[in-house]
Amino acid sequence: MTVIEQVHQTARRPSAAAVTAAAYLMLVLLGLMTGVLGGFQHSWYLRPFPISAVGWVVLLAMACYGAGRAMRGRLAALAPGAGWMAITLIWLGGSPEGDVIIANDLAGYVYLYGGLIAILAAVLLSPSGGGAWLLTQGPYGSHPQGEDRYRGPA
């Protein structure tokens, strides 16, 4: 086997650590995007109810819980929440001019505290451990090797 063939064989499949790191990075970016969009759009009201803040909290809870279920771990559920919290802390800080993104009103409180409760609930409801579905070494194709359709495993 030549060196070029060896390079092609090792380059065909990324390592499990690289796939895991990429998946967690995408989950954090999802949380960052949710925080950016939710920070600017959370203050829509159907008087007196802050409908948009509740919607963003539900969306954040679904993203965190879905990530935890898909990756089968609580750390995966926390990843979008960490991205959301990072950008939300930036939005909470005021500028020298006195401008803030998340204001001190009902919608701001629902968005901030509801988001924190949603992250906590999603992490606690997510399964703990079990390995990520991305990293399982399952059989490929419709008929796995070593298994006959009529006789079962070989």
Side-chain angles (χ1 to χ4, degrees):
M1 182 178 285
T2 66
V3 173
I4 295 174
E5 290 173 348
Q6 290 175 353
V7 168
H8 283 293
Q9 277 192 341
T10 58
R12 287 185 186 155
R13 181 172 285 202
S15 70
V19 172
T20 302
Y24 281 109
L25 177 66
M26 288 295 114
L27 292 174
V28 170
L29 290 176
L30 174 69
L32 286 170
M33 183 183 69
T34 304
V36 168
L37 296 174
F40 286 111
Q41 300 297 326
H42 75 278
S43 60
W44 294 2
Y45 280 88
L46 283 177
R47 292 286 177 200
F49 189 69
I51 190 73
S52 183
V54 172
W56 282 106
V57 167
V58 169
L59 182 71
L60 178 65
M62 289 178 7
C64 291
Y65 181 69
R69 293 285 295 184
M71 296 283 290
R72 295 186 184 107
R74 290 185 174 164
L75 185 61
L78 187 61
W84 179 86
M85 284 188 285
I87 200 71
T88 300
L89 287 175
I90 293 171
W91 291 158
L92 287 174
S95 67
E97 295 84 22
D99 297 333
V100 292
I101 304 296
I102 299 175
N104 186 12
D105 61 352
L106 179 62
Y109 288 135
V110 168
Y111 180 71
L112 178 63
Y113 296 117
L116 293 173
I117 292 169
I119 293 168
L120 177 66
V123 168
L124 291 177
L125 291 174
S126 294
S128 60
W133 63 272
L134 282 174
L135 304 177
T136 56
Q137 294 294 324
Y140 298 103
S142 59
H143 299 291
Q145 281 184 335
E147 181 177 326
D148 187 8
R149 178 185 243 173
Y150 301 106
R151 289 184 285 173

